[in-house]
Amino acid sequence: MIRPKPEIRVLAGPEELQWAAAEEFLRQATEAVREKGFFTVALSGGSTPRGLYSLLATEEKVPFRDRLAWDKIHFFWGDERHVPPEHPDSNYFMALESMLSKVAVPPENVHRIKAENPDAGKVAEEYEETLREFFGLAPEELPRFDLILLGMGPDGHTASLFPGSEVLQEPKRLVMATWVEKFHAYRITLTPPVLNNAACIIFLVSGKEKAETVRAVLQSDPLSKRYPARLICPTQGRLVWLVDRSAASLLRLG
Ligand code: 6PG
């Protein structure tokens, strides 16, 4: 199976990166709503995506907020911390504060990971059921998100796929709870098969502390499994890397 080569776009800085992501989000949402009446997106946590969410919801002078059919967009999450929805570490809380509380998204369109349940395994099972119901999945079928937004840490983690985690080899489950030793906490995450079944994945990566990892993920030995972000490549879809100049500084381009 020939997987698509990543589309790599280098932007001047974080603001330009967020603007490019917002334009891509608007284009894809508009096209999906025109073609099938709704748009499904899985949001990422992290500081880089947060700037995008704020931009999409900003009403002054920018062309996004009033051009998005918010009532036709269904919001999911690529991963979540094992905390209640009002906790400052919650990815849902971050998206609510930066975007969802400022725009007219019907509550039934917000499909958060209900991480308040103290049993992280149950949280994952419940979210898997949410996906099965919404996408009307047959037993072995994978959900196909129109868009999945991802960030990446300096260690190459993405969503909550951390180096050495058993989730990296998960062949079947859609959602898993994974213990992350360095945080001494559970995370709940979509698995690689679900991420790689998306119609489009956009990585948003900014900052020089990620330059070596960006180079390693995009331009080093294809067999190296050290960085989970290397596992992410849609089997039938687009892979877009939006990186700022600092994060792209070690890439050989052109
Ligand atoms: C999370 C994200 C995580 C994030 C990376 C990069 O829950 O925090 O899913 O994978 O995208 O840690 O975060 P920054 O964009 O803040 O560097």
Side-chain angles (χ1 to χ4, degrees):
M1 174 190 319
I2 310 290
R3 292 193 163 187
K5 276 175 67 68
E7 302 164 40
I8 301 172
R9 287 183 57 192
V10 180
L11 292 309
E15 293 74 25
E16 292 81 0
L17 188 158
Q18 286 153 13
W19 191 280
E23 286 173 333
E24 188 66 41
F25 187 101
L26 173 62
R27 195 184 61 70
Q28 293 189 26
T30 305
E31 191 177 313
V33 168
R34 187 175 55 238
E35 279 172 14
K36 58 182 180 149
F38 65 96
F39 178 59
T40 57
V41 56
L43 301 180
S44 168
S47 57
T48 313
R50 185 190 299 124
L52 164 61
Y53 307 156
S54 301
L55 181 57
L56 289 172
T58 302
E59 55 193 326
E60 296 82 29
K61 298 187 301 297
V62 286
F64 304 111
R65 176 194 167 111
D66 296 341
R67 292 170 59 189
L68 281 162
W70 293 101
D71 62 328
K72 295 190 175 51
I73 301 177
H74 285 266
F75 290 93
F76 298 82
W77 274 260
D79 73 320
E80 188 53 279
R81 288 80 180 280
H82 192 207
V83 294
E86 68 279 1
H87 191 286
D89 287 351
S90 161
N91 288 340
Y92 161 77
F93 184 74
M94 182 269 277
L96 180 71
E97 286 286 279
S98 56
M99 175 172 64
L100 298 176
S101 59
K102 301 173 183 168
V103 291
V105 178
E108 63 272 19
N109 287 25
V110 179
H111 311 275
R112 68 179 182 86
I113 299 173
K114 295 178 179 166
E116 57 270 30
N117 184 326
D119 181 333
K122 289 265 188 297
V123 174
E125 286 168 19
E126 185 180 358
Y127 204 57
E128 177 146 339
E129 197 42 46
T130 298
L131 297 180
R132 291 195 180 287
E133 271 170 40
F134 180 87
F135 288 94
L137 301 179
E140 301 298 309
E141 196 181 0
L142 296 170
R144 183 168 172 78
F145 286 95
D146 293 316
L147 174 60
I148 296 182
L149 298 172
L150 292 174
M152 186 187 73
D155 61 357
H157 84 264
T158 188
S160 283
L161 306 176
F162 285 84
S165 156
E166 79 284 359
V167 189
L168 303 183
Q169 279 84 37
E170 175 56 37
K172 277 182 56 149
R173 278 181 285 181
L174 310 182
V175 187
M176 282 179 73
T178 175
W179 177 259
V180 185
E181 190 52 37
K182 72 176 177 181
F183 300 132
H184 210 64
Y186 276 103
R187 291 279 190 99
I188 294 87
T189 187
L190 298 186
T191 58
V194 173
L195 298 176
N196 286 335
N197 199 46
C200 181
I201 292 175
I202 301 180
F203 274 96
L204 311 170
V205 185
S206 158
K208 65 179 182 314
E209 74 281 3
K210 300 181 184 179
E212 173 44 36
T213 311
V214 167
R215 185 203 62 77
V217 168
L218 290 176
Q219 295 184 339
S220 78
D221 163 16
L223 298 180
S224 110
K225 296 268 185 294
R226 183 171 158 204
Y227 300 109
R230 284 194 68 89
L231 296 174
I232 305 306
C233 183
T235 47
Q236 286 177 310
R238 286 176 63 207
L239 177 58
V240 181
W241 279 75
L242 300 181
V243 287
D244 70 4
R245 277 207 198 108
S246 307
S249 57
L250 297 180
L251 285 181
R252 291 185 320 283
L253 294 170

